[in-house]
Amino acid sequence: MSTTNQLVVVPDAGRTLPPLPALPQSRHLATQIPGPRSQAMMVERRAQVSNGFGAQLPVFIDRADGGILLDVDGNRIIDLASGLGPTALGASNGRVRERLQAQLDRFTHTCFMTTEYQSYVEVCRWLNQHAPGSAEKRTALFSTGAEANENAVKIARYFTGRSKILAFDGAYHGRTHMTMSLTSKAHPYKTGFGPFSKDVVHVPVPTSPRGAADTLERSLDRVRAALWENDPATFAAMIIEPILGEAGCLIPQEGFLAGLREIADEHGMLLIADEVQSGMGRTGRIWAIEHEDVVPDLLVAAKALANGMPLSSVTGRADVMNAVHPAGLGGTYAGNPLSCEAALAVFEQLDAEGVLDKATELGRIAVDMLLPLVGAGQGVIDVRVRGAMIGIEFGDEDTLEPASQRAKAVSAYCHSNGVLALTNGVHENVIRLLPPIVIEPTLFRDGLQVIIDGIQETALNVTEAKADAGGR
Ligand SMILES: Cc1ncc(COP(=O)(O)O)c(C=O)c1O
């Protein structure tokens, strides 16, 4: 099949299209994965698209609905990634579609810095009401998670008159220049892209299975030491993901975030919670930081905020958010009206339909099915679950030495069996799952069973390889 010079033609342009019939919510393999059409399109992709963009699963998607991705070869793949988190309410959510269609007929853009529209204000109102803490709040909207984190840093610097930022090992905050500096992992995010900000200091986050051996006090002492070594009075803020997604869904030691809150107060710094991945219901609460009962000064959201439409936000105490001079914040597309409508559709559903309970239920299923694998002789050294945010870590069960090849092998098994499961982690040794919260439990169980089968199959291969090596 040649795809050269083909333009996508929108059928029946000019009239409102009825919704497509729902996709069957079951896994189905029509071809091998990737199938022949995806493979041909991949050739063209390589000929046209910068090599700098990776692809975890090189299939081209025709439609997506609920927990299913339908590829161009007719394969129905179980979606355990939600497009890296955003499509938490399903990639073709009915209410999002209705609001987008109505807005498309009215206008697609005016620029909120030029002329106003009410949906922007309503999104800010909901975020002000739902962000943790009772203080009066204000919100500013942007487009991407990285852009919102950049702006959170700008606001913190402006408010405190200080420049340094404390960030954490394993953190991922984005790919722009400041957020690359905040991100800790060098490859693939930073290699070759420096220089980075000298005003960022990284410290370890205590998590299982490796880092939590220390007492909470010792973990917090490391933070205090890093501040003292770099003069605490020069720090504007510390920024942390309440669950470190890119690091493999690492959950900080209990009490660590509360300890950071105290340290920040002690030194007049702000605490920024990056909830780009963990927020908007994914963990069974609207914000992951609510599990720890900690109130940040600034809270950053994106991804599931508008269910896949580009929208991000910074919400914080009114005195902090209002400190910046008018026109100091903004952006041409910041708070785009279509994205705002999508966010309002998300809020309606979060407020009304037990979405948080669904995320909690997915977490229960994951605990039941995956936790028995830890230390069971198959190289699974940790399973971390908070609602629909799940990490399965691979390594040597005695030494905890990371096993990135195992994570890759399990992920490859999943892909060829019609399940999209992502690999990540500080040592690339984690399978991370971010299923749509609305995935049907039976489909989710089927996806997890494929992962378990993959773990067993690849564990057998490792045992055989070890036996072979021993025999030579
Ligand atoms: C915690 C966190 N912060 C920031 C970002 C960056 O968001 P974006 O890709 O929208 O710039 C991500 C993206 O994965 C993230 O997970």
Side-chain angles (χ1 to χ4, degrees), residues 78-163:
I78 302 182
D79 178 10
L80 299 183
S82 308
L84 291 181
T87 54
L89 301 185
S92 54
N93 182 275
R95 192 63 191 128
V96 171
R97 178 180 190 275
E98 282 167 10
R99 276 196 170 264
L100 286 179
Q101 281 198 339
Q103 182 59 39
L104 272 173
D105 287 341
R106 295 173 63 219
F107 59 92
T108 54
H109 176 76
T110 67
C111 181
F112 191 72
M113 301 183 303
T114 311
T115 55
E116 314 289 278
Y117 39 93
Q118 184 61 15
S119 54
Y120 187 116
V121 179
E122 292 309 321
V123 172
C124 294
R125 186 197 310 280
W126 191 95
L127 288 165
N128 293 337
Q129 284 169 351
H130 288 79
S134 53
E136 189 184 340
K137 302 195 188 65
R138 293 289 185 277
T139 290
L141 301 181
F142 303 97
S143 301
T144 68
E147 191 189 0
N149 279 330
E150 289 268 351
N151 278 282
V153 169
K154 279 169 65 174
I155 295 164
R157 284 179 166 171
Y158 199 105
F159 179 76
T160 58
R162 306 169 176 184
S163 64

Side-chain angles (χ1 to χ4, degrees), residues 84 143-149 172-176 179 241 243-246 274-278 300 302-303 311-312 432:
L84 291 181
S143 301
T144 68
E147 191 189 0
N149 279 330
Y172 181 81
H173 296 294
R175 293 175 185 266
T176 56
T179 58
E241 300 158 76
I243 298 179
L244 288 86
E246 193 57 33
D274 175 351
E275 293 255 14
V276 167
Q277 192 170 141
S278 58
V300 178
K303 292 198 189 261
L311 187 71
S312 59
R432 171 185 50 164

Side-chain angles (χ1 to χ4, degrees), residues 168-182:
F168 291 87
D169 289 351
Y172 181 81
H173 296 294
R175 293 175 185 266
T176 56
H177 256 90
M178 184 64 197
T179 58
M180 262 198 302
S181 300
L182 299 172

Side-chain angles (χ1 to χ4, degrees), residues 145 148-149 152 239 272-276 287 298-302 312-315:
N149 279 330
I239 181 167
I272 305 172
D274 175 351
E275 293 255 14
V276 167
W287 311 112
L298 296 176
L299 182 140
V300 178
S312 59
S313 60
V314 182
T315 301

